Amino acid sequence: MMKKLTLQALSLLLVGLLMCFGALAQTPAPAAYPNPLAGPADGPLLTPAQFLGYELGARFTPHAELLRYVAHVAAHSPDRMKLERYGSTYENRPLELVYIASAANLARLDDIRRDNLRLAGLETGAVKGATPAVVWLSYNVHGNEAVSSEAVMQVLYDLANPANTTAQSYLQNLVVIVDPCVNPDGRDRYAQWYNRVANKQTNASPLSWEHREPWPGGRYNHYYFDLNRDWAWQTQQESRQRIAVYNQWLPQVHADFHEMGPSAPYYFSPAAKPFHADLTAWQRQFQDVIGDYNRKVFDKNNWLYFTRETYDLFAPFYGDTWPSFNGAIGVTYEQGGGGVAGIAYAKTDGDTLTLSQRIEHHHATSLATLQAAAERHQDLTREFQKFYTDARTKPKGEYKSYVLAGSSDPGQVRALTQYLDRQQISYGFATKRSRQAGYSYATGKTETVQIEPQDVVISMYQPKSTLVKVLFEPQAQLEDSLTYDLTAWSLPYAFGLNGYALKGQLPVAGRQVPVSSVAGSKSSSTATAPYAYLARWNNLQDVRFLSRLLQQGVKLRVAEEPFETEGQKYGRGTLIIARTGNERLGARFDQLVRAQADSAGVLVQAVQSGLSTSGGDLGSRSVRPLAMPNVAVLAGPGVDATAFGEVWHFFEQQVGYPITVLGTDYFGSVPLSKFDVLILPDGRYDDIMNERTLAAVKTWVRGGGRLIALEGASRFLAGQKDLLLKAKPTDSTATSKKDPYIALRRYADAERDGIDGRVQGSVFRVQLDNTHPLAFGYGNTYFALLREAPNYKFLPEGGWNVGVLKKNGYASGFAGRKTRTGLTDSFVLGTQDLGRGQIVYLADNPLFRAFWQGGKLLFGNAVFIL
């Protein structure tokens, strides 16, 4: 027994010595460093440095450690902090919020939340008590702008520390909601990489590899989407979960913490122009108020900053604009640094920017924001209530109703109403047929439009009318064309639906969609086993249905010509799921088809005969079989990360179809014969495809492969040997009539002069040849969201010009004068036959940010139908 005790004691002594030697080789840890196995509430409240074992700014904290500290602080303040897990990321990392208030207010937290919604008219009943202002602070939406999640630990400590009487005083008038990390997947991608490659002694030289973040970088989430551009659309799991909670609160202030290039100092409000016209005078004024609170702190510390430049308040996608259109004061904070800066970065001015400095600045603006809101809390709640009262009783703009044709595409209508539900936007359905004067999105003109029963009607007389106007207005009012992002996004264009804007109100029925008009209604059935099932080809739900059937081994055919059978008309692209060819499924056939249709939200029609009353019969030569394609997509350096992410997300999350991701670093050695379809997302392909690799790709196409080239990939292929896509020549008219003084431009006007040749996310009407399989399911036009001019000639013989721009194709958004002229008679999308295969050129990206719903069927056609 004594011998065993001695060995145990020696073992403990050896472990202790090893720990001491390890400590000598590292930054000394504070004595209070906790046991990593200890519970969050064990011991006293610790500072971030005491808890982590290193000073903030010494390294980047992994997300799991960040959440351990958040739990530690919340556990030590149970009367003033409440921790809530509101969701998880695609990589299953937790998403958490911390609610912080005085003890009295935390005890009635849900009553305060409901009272806040009563101020907005979104909850019935009278306000029950005092209404503190609600401030929501969002950190680290861009993963490699990692400083903010370091700063939030100090912010939480200050709000939890009873000795910090200044911070505690803010809580008397506020409920503070803190999201410590909006994008954990991106943050860990960056933090883990940096901590792995960083030198033991920080190297501030921009040439050191710790300042050269590899592809795809940590900015984006798992699918390489920019979450800061997803507030309005909520295409990503993180956004939907976060905004579901946000809509339960609707804070008066939302602050979003970012970083920009390392040579810049610090940015805070007031924002730059353009301001969206529907921001109220009060919202603009309070931008200045918060800016003044921040200015005082920065002036006191002699820190550099700038305001009223670069970061505007126009497009509704962002963490400052979308909250603003929901009644908040939305502010953005930008610290110089970003993923390139690391722990220390030598700037061109000779100064060294440190992570500690960056943390200090974000910490200061966090507290200044809380101070401003606390000292002006009554103004904030009063104006918040006025914002929503005005929205309900005297909505802005000339249009008072927006109408979407329910018959234009029931599946897309269903998708849009689900989107409206997530936004808390009320809608109803037209009760009778009528003719009204209204703006038609399809024609871009004010004319007499036909309203049909069950058309979706969105009234402007509702709490969310400001958001409705911003999302539906045909043309956003742009006070300055120098803007940060897109200039057009109207939902009828985005969803590809016929719609109208009316100056008057319409009587409406309730929100329940009739079963007969819903794409997701139950599949029609019959007592006897049908000859076949027919599914119209109109939207993304139909692509999802096809994907699921192919993976279940169901044999399908597609109609290349319109036909009519059993009293119903069917267009090109109609899916035919016949019993013939699926005999091996036996009795499972009917159950499987109906179950997959209901799951995908598709209405299928059972027919008892293969005979058509017009058009080809179901066994006609115009009906051909569809095979399950083996699909690959290229990713890696040279490919735009977000463009790849849009393709990846389309397959995995939207249609649930397997793809193989091929890396650009080994693409040259890939046996392409194993794949039927190869997708090249936007990118710079000069370094990816040398002459030998491009020749191999063309050989694969000639053998029967299908190459889908999006945006930059099409640009790379244009002009290559054997390929038909060619760029349009530059206009020589200006050269022949050259103004001798054209070179005498003002330096200050350079940026503004440059926009004359730009397309800033504008909507154009693309003319379609819908007899071609690439355009199956569409009418004669498609509204494309163009972000650059597709200056290509029409394809010559051997190619198919499926989508082109003709005269007067512009529909909405900003496009420079020169650009509009150049976009006339331009190729946008089409195909080229090469040997037994095809090349699909998509000069426009129909999957952009996953929100442009109207383009997804085009991409589905390119993959599955051609």
Side-chain angles (χ1 to χ4, degrees):
M1 188 67 165
M2 287 294 293
K3 184 176 181 181
K4 290 181 180 179
L5 286 173
T6 302
L7 288 173
Q8 185 180 37
L10 287 171
S11 297
L12 289 172
L13 178 60
L14 180 59
V15 170
L17 289 171
L18 289 172
M19 290 178 65
C20 289
F21 284 124
L24 289 173
Q26 301 177 19
T27 303
Y33 180 66
N35 182 341
L37 301 179
D42 292 349
L45 174 65
L46 303 176
T47 67
Q50 290 171 329
F51 185 90
L52 298 170
Y54 53 85
E55 295 290 337
L56 287 180
R59 58 172 297 159
F60 288 104
T61 306
H63 181 253
E65 280 298 290
L66 165 66
L67 292 192
R68 282 204 336 112
Y69 184 69
V70 171
H72 168 79
V73 175
H76 281 81
S77 309
D79 60 333
R80 284 168 293 133
M81 290 189 177
K82 176 186 174 184
L83 182 61
E84 174 185 271
R85 177 169 178 172
Y86 69 86
S88 59
T89 69
Y90 285 112
E91 296 176 15
N92 207 33
R93 291 182 175 85
L95 295 167
E96 296 186 352
L97 293 173
V98 186
Y99 299 91
I100 311 163
S102 66
N105 283 337
L106 195 72
R108 63 184 192 97
L109 191 63
D110 195 58
D111 286 339
I112 292 173
R113 181 187 68 81
R114 298 185 68 178
D115 277 348
N116 203 54
L117 294 180
R118 291 184 179 106
L119 293 178
L122 290 164
E123 178 88 13
T124 58
V127 175
K128 295 181 178 180
T131 52
V134 180
V135 178
W136 186 303
L137 306 178
S138 291
Y139 297 87
N140 219 162
V141 67
H142 291 145
N144 61 359
E145 297 174 9
V147 61
S148 62
S149 283
E150 303 295 329
V152 75
M153 290 186 276
Q154 188 63 50
V155 173
L156 290 172
Y157 175 78
D158 289 346
L159 293 173
N161 182 8
N164 191 329
T165 55
T166 300
Q168 296 304 308
S169 68
Y170 302 156
L171 302 182
Q172 301 306 310
N173 300 322
L174 300 178
V175 169
V176 182
I177 304 174
V178 173
D179 191 330
C181 187
V182 175
N183 181 10
D185 292 349
R187 176 184 174 80
D188 265 3
R189 189 183 311 126
Y190 174 75
Q192 290 172 6
W193 165 78
Y194 187 88
N195 289 340
R196 187 174 69 249
V197 304
N199 293 330
K200 182 179 178 181
Q201 278 198 320
T202 301
N203 190 331
S205 169
L207 300 176
S208 177
W209 72 336
E210 64 196 80
H211 303 294
R212 302 298 178 101
E213 190 182 5
W215 191 95
R219 178 181 179 88
Y220 311 113
N221 77 337
H222 172 78
Y223 283 106
Y224 306 159
F225 274 68
D226 187 331
L227 295 180
N228 191 44
R229 286 159 173 78
D230 196 43
W231 280 81
W233 315 123
Q234 300 152 40
T235 68
Q236 300 302 289
Q237 178 172 302
E238 296 91 340
S239 302
R240 291 194 182 192
Q241 293 170 137
R242 181 180 71 257
I243 291 174
V245 181
Y246 188 101
N247 274 329
Q248 294 172 16
W249 278 95
L250 293 179
Q252 280 78 43
V253 176
H254 180 262
D256 205 13
F257 293 85
H258 292 262
E259 291 186 80
M260 51 188 163
S263 295
Y266 197 97
Y267 161 83
F268 50 75
S269 62
K273 290 184 178 182
F275 282 70
H276 195 282
D278 294 320
L279 292 174
T280 67
W282 160 255
Q283 288 175 312
R284 297 180 184 222
Q285 176 188 338
F286 210 83
Q287 285 267 323
D288 294 333
V289 170
I290 292 182
D292 284 340
Y293 277 80
N294 286 305
R295 175 184 55 79
K296 291 174 183 176
V297 176
F298 275 62
D299 285 348
K300 180 181 178 181
N301 288 282
N302 297 313
W303 296 335
L304 290 175
Y305 59 92
F306 68 94
T307 65
R308 297 165 295 178
E309 296 178 36
T310 307
Y311 303 103
D312 61 59
L313 289 172
F314 182 66
F317 326 128
Y318 297 101
D320 52 9
T321 51
W322 186 86
S324 295
F325 300 133
N326 283 275
I329 310 300
V331 292
T332 288
Y333 292 114
E334 293 273 358
Q335 164 63 51
V340 71
I343 303 297
Y345 185 84
K347 301 196 298 181
T348 55
D349 62 5
D351 195 8
T352 297
L353 175 68
T354 68
L355 179 58
S356 298
Q357 292 168 338
R358 293 150 61 198
I359 291 171
E360 191 175 11
H361 298 162
H362 266 341
H363 171 252
T365 52
S366 298
L367 295 182
T369 303
L370 297 181
Q371 182 184 3
E375 294 180 0
R376 300 288 296 271
H377 72 283
Q378 291 178 327
D379 294 338
L380 285 167
T381 54
R382 182 189 67 247
E383 293 293 334
F384 175 81
Q385 184 175 26
K386 182 178 185 299
F387 177 96
Y388 279 99
T389 300
D390 289 348
R392 295 193 308 273
T393 60
K394 45 183 180 181
K396 300 174 180 179
E398 61 177 318
Y399 301 118
K400 303 308 177 189
S401 300
Y402 295 94
V403 181
L404 297 165
S407 61
S408 58
D409 185 341
Q412 285 294 73
V413 171
R414 174 78 168 179
L416 179 61
T417 55
Q418 290 172 341
Y419 172 81
L420 297 178
D421 289 338
R422 292 197 300 272
Q423 299 278 9
Q424 294 183 326
I425 292 174
S426 297
Y427 57 90
F429 296 87
T431 57
K432 61 181 181 180
R433 177 174 296 163
S434 64
R435 292 177 68 81
Q436 306 277 339
Y439 177 90
S440 168
Y441 290 88
T443 65
K445 300 176 181 178
T446 298
E447 56 193 31
T448 300
V449 300
Q450 182 82 30
I451 309 299
E452 298 288 348
Q454 303 307 323
D455 283 353
V456 179
V457 180
I458 302 100
S459 170
M460 282 289 287
Y461 290 88
Q462 61 168 298
K464 290 292 190 85
S465 71
T466 299
L467 184 62
V468 171
K469 180 179 180 295
V470 171
L471 294 176
F472 279 88
E473 59 189 345
Q475 190 74 259
Q477 183 178 339
L478 188 62
E479 63 178 334
D480 192 319
S481 52
L482 283 175
T483 185
Y484 197 56
D485 204 329
L486 308 181
T487 58
W489 51 78
S490 187
L491 291 181
Y493 294 131
F495 279 79
L497 292 169
N498 293 332
Y500 321 109
L502 310 181
K503 294 184 178 180
Q505 292 183 270
L506 288 176
V508 297
R511 295 174 59 151
Q512 181 61 43
V513 185
V515 170
S516 61
S517 67
V518 179
S521 59
K522 298 297 180 184
S523 310
S524 59
S525 60
T526 181
T528 59
Y531 178 88
Y533 293 95
L534 306 180
R536 290 179 173 85
W537 186 252
N538 294 313
N539 51 51
L540 179 67
Q541 293 94 315
D542 302 320
V543 181
R544 186 183 303 125
F545 176 53
L546 171 60
S547 163
R548 292 174 177 178
L549 290 184
L550 289 173
Q551 292 176 78
Q552 292 284 342
V554 176
K555 302 299 184 183
L556 300 97
R557 297 160 70 84
V558 61
E560 294 193 311
E561 296 293 338
F563 65 96
E564 183 175 351
T565 183
E566 297 186 5
Q568 293 198 40
K569 295 181 178 180
Y570 296 88
R572 294 181 178 89
T574 296
L575 300 179
I576 299 169
I577 310 112
R579 192 170 301 278
T580 299
N582 287 298
E583 293 88 351
R584 63 181 182 79
L585 296 173
R588 289 182 55 238
F589 173 70
D590 301 276
Q591 180 184 5
L592 191 155
V593 172
R594 290 171 180 165
Q596 293 300 337
D598 292 337
S599 176
V602 170
L603 181 67
V604 296
Q605 180 66 48
V607 294
Q608 299 302 314
S609 171
L611 180 68
S612 297
T613 51
S614 67
D617 298 328
L618 300 193
S620 165
R621 287 183 300 174
S622 63
V623 177
R624 60 177 170 84
L626 289 177
M628 181 176 175
N630 195 349
V631 182
V633 59
L634 202 57
V639 173
D640 183 274
T642 59
F644 160 69
E646 289 154 3
V647 174
W648 192 18
H649 187 267
F650 174 84
F651 283 100
E652 291 207 339
Q653 295 296 324
Q654 298 176 50
V655 300
Y657 193 84
I659 58 169
T660 300
V661 179
L662 303 175
T664 57
D665 56 336
Y666 62 86
F667 176 68
S669 61
V670 169
L672 293 177
S673 59
K674 294 184 177 295
F675 303 100
D676 305 299
V677 176
L678 173 63
I679 301 166
L680 305 182
D682 186 27
R684 302 179 67 88
Y685 282 82
D686 293 314
D687 294 331
I688 298 173
M689 287 197 185
N690 56 30
E691 187 175 342
R692 183 179 64 83
T693 304
L694 180 58
V697 170
K698 289 191 288 186
T699 298
W700 167 77
V701 173
R702 288 188 177 95
R706 187 183 312 150
L707 182 69
I708 302 174
L710 290 92
E711 294 187 292
S714 288
R715 193 161 51 245
F716 167 75
L717 295 178
Q720 298 282 0
K721 182 182 177 182
D722 302 325
L723 306 187
L724 299 180
L725 186 65
K726 309 293 182 186
K728 292 166 68 175
T730 56
D731 187 7
S732 60
T733 304
T735 305
S736 61
K737 300 180 180 179
K738 191 171 183 180
D739 181 349
Y741 304 114
I742 197 168
L744 304 181
R745 299 182 300 132
R746 289 181 71 241
Y747 178 79
D749 296 335
E751 184 177 11
R752 191 167 303 280
D753 290 343
I755 67 173
D756 200 31
R758 285 166 53 189
V759 180
Q760 291 184 248
S762 304
V763 179
F764 280 77
R765 187 180 292 101
V766 176
Q767 303 296 320
L768 291 178
D769 172 8
N770 61 10
T771 68
H772 191 282
L774 186 58
F776 279 1
Y778 287 87
N780 295 323
T781 59
Y782 156 64
F783 287 99
L785 181 66
L786 299 182
R787 292 166 296 115
E788 59 181 41
N791 292 314
Y792 298 108
K793 297 179 181 180
F794 295 149
L795 298 181
E797 186 175 351
W800 297 101
N801 296 286
V802 181
V804 300
L805 288 173
K806 296 182 179 179
K807 187 177 181 181
N808 298 323
Y810 167 80
S812 180
F814 176 82
R817 176 182 54 83
K818 294 178 183 176
T819 299
R820 288 201 204 185
T821 303
L823 283 173
T824 301
D825 296 335
S826 290
F827 169 92
V828 179
L829 55 102
T831 67
Q832 171 189 348
D833 295 330
L834 186 63
R836 292 188 293 110
Q838 284 180 308
I839 300 175
V840 182
Y841 302 109
L842 299 176
D844 166 55
N845 178 10
L847 302 181
F848 181 65
R849 293 184 187 168
F851 87 92
W852 202 254
Q853 300 292 331
K856 293 177 180 178
L857 187 65
L858 276 174
F859 191 76
N861 285 335
V863 174
F864 296 105
I865 301 298
L866 286 179

